[in-house]
Amino acid sequence: TSAPFALTTPPAVPPIAITEVLTNPAGPEPQQEYVELRNLGDAAAASAGLRLADSEEGDDLPDQTLGAGGYALVVTSTYDPNEGSDPAPRAGTLLVRVDSRLGADGLSNSGELVQLLQGDAVVSSYGGWVSVSAASWNGRSVHRLVQSACDSAAAWNHTPLPPTPGDGPP
């Protein structure tokens, strides 16, 4: 027998994954940048208590509800879904607006860590494995190819793909 010990488990993180990152939009930067989230769970999930962060700074997400299987775009306060240079979000896609830039100063085209956090716990991340600064990436995005895949470089495309805001991988 052993002495009893206390075990504290962290709170469960919501089943939300970063599934697409558009850091080099055809439209104006950083206004038209976005990070797509998908609720991979069977129940609605709240964004309250979540934070989207780049390598330097982050944005607390406003309290909104993402339906089971649903998509959300984390966008700037000035994002215009009808701007026209990039595809508009699929009808019904939740827009989660933060301040005038995502992260510290917009998302870096040279590749930058983007994390969805709950307190200190990482809910999901994109490791910035792809530099999208080349002309071939203008208006193209990186996608998690299998949305339930682990947060690793192999889970993401490394060649330009069209953005599919709120619509899953191409």
Side-chain angles (χ1 to χ4, degrees):
T1 53
S2 64
F5 64 94
L7 177 64
T8 304
T9 59
V13 295
I16 298 175
I18 296 173
T19 54
E20 183 178 351
V21 180
L22 180 64
T23 62
N24 189 359
E29 287 189 57
Q31 172 185 327
Q32 295 303 112
E33 295 176 343
Y34 66 78
V35 174
E36 180 187 78
L37 306 177
R38 182 164 187 210
N39 179 352
L40 299 174
D42 296 332
S47 60
L50 297 177
R51 181 173 183 75
L52 186 75
D54 64 9
S55 58
E56 297 180 26
E57 199 174 301
D59 299 291
D60 293 326
L61 301 186
D63 187 11
Q64 293 181 282
T65 301
L66 180 55
Y71 289 92
L73 297 183
V74 181
V75 297
T76 67
S77 59
T78 58
Y79 174 81
D80 180 358
N82 301 309
E83 188 273 333
S85 300
D86 298 290
R90 181 182 67 171
T93 301
L94 178 66
L95 297 182
V96 179
R97 294 186 182 270
V98 295
D99 61 22
S100 61
R101 297 178 187 274
L102 297 179
D105 195 25
L107 300 175
S108 172
N109 291 352
S110 61
E112 174 178 43
L113 175 66
V114 179
Q115 295 181 312
L116 183 64
L117 304 167
Q118 181 179 32
D120 292 333
V122 177
V123 175
S124 183
S125 68
Y126 163 67
W129 298 288
V130 180
S131 171
V132 298
S133 56
S136 62
W137 280 93
N138 186 41
R140 303 294 185 202
S141 61
V142 289
H143 298 260
R144 184 183 300 260
L145 298 172
V146 175
Q147 294 188 345
S148 59
C150 294
D151 294 337
S152 69
W156 294 82
N157 64 293
H158 291 260
T159 57
L161 290 175
T164 58
D167 208 16

